[in-house]
Amino acid sequence: MSGAPAILVRGLRKSYDGNEAVRGIDFDVLPGEVFGLLGPNGAGKTTTVEILEGYRQRDAGEVRVLGVDPWRSDGSHRERIGVVLQHSELPPALSVREVHRMFAGYYLHPRDIDEVIELVGLADKTEERVKTLSGGQKRRLDLGVALVGDPELVFLDEPTTGFDPAARRTAWDLVRSLRSLGKTIVLTTHYLDEAQQLADRVAVIREGSLVRIGTPSELIGATPKVEIRYRAHGREMVVTTGEPTRVLAELTSRAIAEGRELEALEVRRPTLEDVYLELVDGDE
Ligand code: ATP
């Protein structure tokens, strides 16, 4: 790829009936990175992703996906892209293996389907019919279908919605293993812990504009605040400070001088979720 971004977006705009859903956004996704797209409901994430996937036409701006304009593509670059949508309808009477085989038939160079089924954790369900799978297993099947073409770039739209905590961890491991295979991944999620765990960089979109982009630690590091919590006289005390060393020293020396314990003392750095909530609630 000679250092070219996997995805390039410049000045992207899209309106629906005069309402601007995407208001001029710019970002790059680098080859091999997991890029998280975050934002509240209606922020413009799906519109952006659908434009990148080539399902939706933009009004203005430049878009390149694997070097190709997705709207003007002849379709050949689709072979190199895998898409996992939020909702999909796969033939209910087919088995897990049959579904994979059907999709493998659409590609010139599909992956070995049993390998894919194993990768998404459905090896013990290979002969089960789609209609008998649980919600979480169906999502794994969606992922398997997106991977049979051995894509370079994978779009994951809220991939773990409805997963139980153990299934979520398995899905995270799967995303990590895709990353280690060198795939580029665009991950849309409302779970900030998921983005913090998986994404190399995240972009926060609000009302169609990009309000922040960077690594999770850059976003968190930009907030110098630390939260100190403790209980005093039966009450929960919370101090938010940019000078945790000084505040903590004052609190602890006072408590020591008075011979009491700072009960339930906790010092907490903000999480990506805290920073995100500030960004989307704030009025910058
Ligand atoms: P969510 O997190 O709820 O999926 P989102 O960030 O993906 O939200 P979009 O689906 O891109 O947001 O929607 C952005 C805006 O565009 C919203 O105001 C939405 O109502 C509007 N919109 C989206 N799709 C259409 C459409 N097909 N026709 C008209 N308006 C639309």
Side-chain angles (χ1 to χ4, degrees):
M1 288 222 97
S2 67
I7 296 177
L8 176 147
V9 176
R10 294 286 179 273
L12 178 63
R13 290 184 177 274
K14 175 73 188 174
S15 296
Y16 299 105
D17 309 318
N19 295 318
E20 271 203 301
V22 176
R23 305 171 180 215
I25 62 175
D26 307 296
F27 64 88
D28 288 344
V29 178
L30 306 176
E33 79 173 336
V34 178
F35 187 83
L37 214 44
L38 311 176
N41 293 134
K45 304 179 298 296
T46 306
T47 301
T48 302
V49 167
E50 285 178 353
I51 290 169
L52 299 178
E53 290 164 347
Y55 294 141
R56 202 172 276 290
Q57 189 172 13
R58 61 192 184 269
D59 294 341
E62 189 189 352
V63 176
R64 290 282 176 279
V65 175
L66 302 176
V68 175
D69 178 339
W71 190 251
R72 302 207 168 84
S73 150
D74 59 4
S76 57
H77 92 295
R78 276 188 187 278
E79 287 256 329
R80 301 160 63 200
I81 294 173
V83 176
V84 182
L85 299 171
Q86 262 177 58
H87 306 285
S88 68
E89 283 302 326
L90 293 168
L94 293 189
S95 72
V96 166
R97 178 179 274 120
E98 286 165 343
V99 169
H100 280 85
R101 192 179 298 130
M102 180 175 93
F103 279 88
Y106 299 148
Y107 296 93
L108 284 176
H109 306 290
R111 279 184 74 139
D112 179 273
I113 55 175
D114 287 315
E115 225 177 79
V116 174
I117 292 170
E118 172 88 40
L119 184 68
V120 298
L122 286 176
D124 56 343
K125 301 281 172 195
T126 311
E127 304 306 332
E128 300 263 340
R129 293 186 192 287
V130 172
K131 63 183 171 200
T132 67
L133 299 178
S134 73
Q137 290 161 349
K138 281 190 181 129
R139 301 291 292 148
R140 291 178 192 211
L141 181 61
D142 291 335
L143 188 53
V145 162
L147 297 180
V148 276
D150 200 17
E152 288 164 50
L153 169 64
V154 184
F155 290 95
L156 298 176
D157 192 5
E158 300 186 24
T160 64
T161 298
F163 278 27
D164 66 47
R168 169 161 300 152
R169 297 291 154 138
T170 311
W172 290 359
D173 286 342
L174 179 57
V175 174
R176 291 189 186 107
S177 64
L178 291 178
R179 185 181 182 280
S180 69
L181 291 171
K183 313 289 183 198
T184 306
I185 298 166
V186 176
L187 168 74
T188 311
T189 184
H190 286 294
Y191 299 116
L192 279 299
D193 58 336
E194 182 161 293
Q196 189 163 355
Q197 286 286 329
L198 297 180
D200 295 299
R201 289 190 305 140
V202 294
V204 180
I205 297 182
R206 191 185 73 180
E207 293 172 5
S209 299
L210 202 151
V211 290
R212 197 61 57 85
I213 187 165
T215 66
S217 357
E218 279 167 356
L219 266 66
I220 293 166
T223 303
K225 289 180 196 149
V226 166
E227 207 175 75
I228 300 171
R229 288 174 178 267
Y230 59 99
R231 223 181 351 255
H233 314 296
R235 278 177 57 212
E236 177 88 7
M237 311 296 283
V238 183
V239 184
T240 305
T241 175
E243 296 178 283
T245 313
R246 186 182 59 73
V247 173
L248 207 52
E250 281 172 13
L251 280 171
T252 49
S253 8
R254 205 181 315 144
I256 291 167
E258 292 169 5
R260 58 188 173 82
E261 195 59 50
L262 282 178
E263 280 172 55
L265 175 64
E266 206 182 313
V267 181
R268 195 172 74 90
R269 299 263 313 134
T271 60
L272 185 60
E273 179 154 310
D274 298 324
V275 174
Y276 167 85
L277 288 173
E278 247 180 57
L279 283 174
V280 300
D281 290 342
D283 39 19
E284 57 175 300

